[in-house]
Amino acid sequence: MYKRNLALLAATIVSIIYGVTFTIAKDVMPQYIDAFGFIAIRVGGTMALFWMVSIAINAFKKSPAEKIDPSDYKRIIAAAFFGVALNMLTFFKGLSLTSPISAAVIMVSTPMIVMVLSAILVKEKMKRRMIFGLLLGLLGTALLILYGKSIGNLKQAGLGNFLVLVNAISYGYYLIIVKKLMHKYQAFTFVKWIYLAGFLMVLPFGWEEFQSVQWIAVPTEMYWKIGFVVFCSTFLTYLLNLLSMKELSPTTVAVFIYLQPLFASIFAIGLGKDELNSIKIISAALIFSGVYLVTIKKS
């Protein structure tokens, strides 16, 4: 019972961190660092942390590092592309164009996307209830992409919302790809390689924007926020997710994604970075209803 409560706490902390990240990352970009430059920093910093911790663990255990089966490198490269490169590039670029609340609401569709991809790839039969829920979710997402506006009346909010949706689809596919690796290897064995490959993929997109950053003009507060995104939003959340997934079912863990818009909205509205309107409320209701119909299981 203690381990389960600890896992539930870890999952809640992850949702809080992700909810706060929408606004914190938005503060940094694109004013101080463009989206792709920020991604190069995020992935590069996280990669360094995973490799340092992995080396430290092996040194402490006084044992050689666990080896990857050559047949699994294709899966690692695919996980790096969908879980790091495409996922993060589209998310940060989308977030730089839209609002924190809109991005958080669209991310709630991830469990629904995972189930749809599983039905396509694993040939799992979908019930009428699931299809209806999928249509509701798609309607809510389309409404938010086409008409969702925010403080400042962002001109490219529609494109930003669409990119966040691409990120959600990419992340959903990544969860399916990485599942086999999680059962076969220890976490640090494969995640360090995923982030190394992911860093090599995002570097060509982010190098020019990284070089163009005027670091002298970046306030000290922004350095702390960059550090938060690298350490808390990426490195720490991955470790906490591993802790929660050891004790909780995937469905239970997925439910915590639903908390992200709540925490994102509270944080963004509290700081005056975003505001609720009728379109966002209706879109959120449609997406939540769709996710509920798709993921609910009869006892």
Side-chain angles (χ1 to χ4, degrees), residues 33-184:
I33 305 175
D34 285 327
F36 291 169
F38 199 173
I39 287 299
I41 296 171
R42 181 185 184 184
V43 178
T46 305
M47 176 198 67
L49 287 172
F50 277 124
W51 274 90
M52 286 189 293
V53 172
S54 178
I55 292 171
I57 290 175
N58 292 329
F60 178 77
K61 290 183 176 180
K62 297 181 179 179
S63 61
E66 187 179 16
K67 292 185 178 180
I68 299 287
D69 188 328
S71 62
D72 287 325
Y73 278 112
K74 287 184 179 179
R75 185 176 291 269
I76 286 176
I77 292 173
F81 177 75
F82 289 103
V84 178
L86 182 61
N87 170 35
M88 293 190 183
L89 288 172
T90 52
F91 174 69
F92 266 45
K93 187 63 176 180
L95 183 59
S96 70
L97 299 175
T98 188
S99 72
I101 293 178
S102 295
V105 168
I106 292 174
M107 283 303 297
V108 173
S109 62
T110 299
M112 183 167 55
I113 291 169
V114 171
M115 183 162 288
V116 172
L117 290 174
S118 297
I120 296 173
L121 299 175
V122 188
K123 307 300 181 183
E124 182 179 340
K125 188 177 180 181
M126 291 186 68
K127 300 177 181 178
R128 271 188 251 175
R129 162 177 54 82
M130 294 180 177
I131 296 174
F132 181 63
L134 175 61
L135 293 175
L136 279 181
L138 289 176
L139 177 61
T141 303
L143 188 64
L144 193 59
I145 289 174
L146 295 174
Y147 301 107
K149 301 297 180 183
S150 309
I151 287 179
N153 195 24
L154 298 172
K155 295 180 179 179
Q156 293 184 295
L159 175 60
N161 291 332
F162 174 74
L163 289 174
V164 174
L165 176 61
V166 173
N167 148 76
I169 296 172
S170 176
Y171 184 69
Y173 188 55
Y174 159 77
L175 291 178
I176 297 173
I177 293 174
V178 83
K179 188 174 182 180
K180 183 178 178 181
L181 297 174
M182 290 182 64
H183 290 297
K184 192 172 182 179

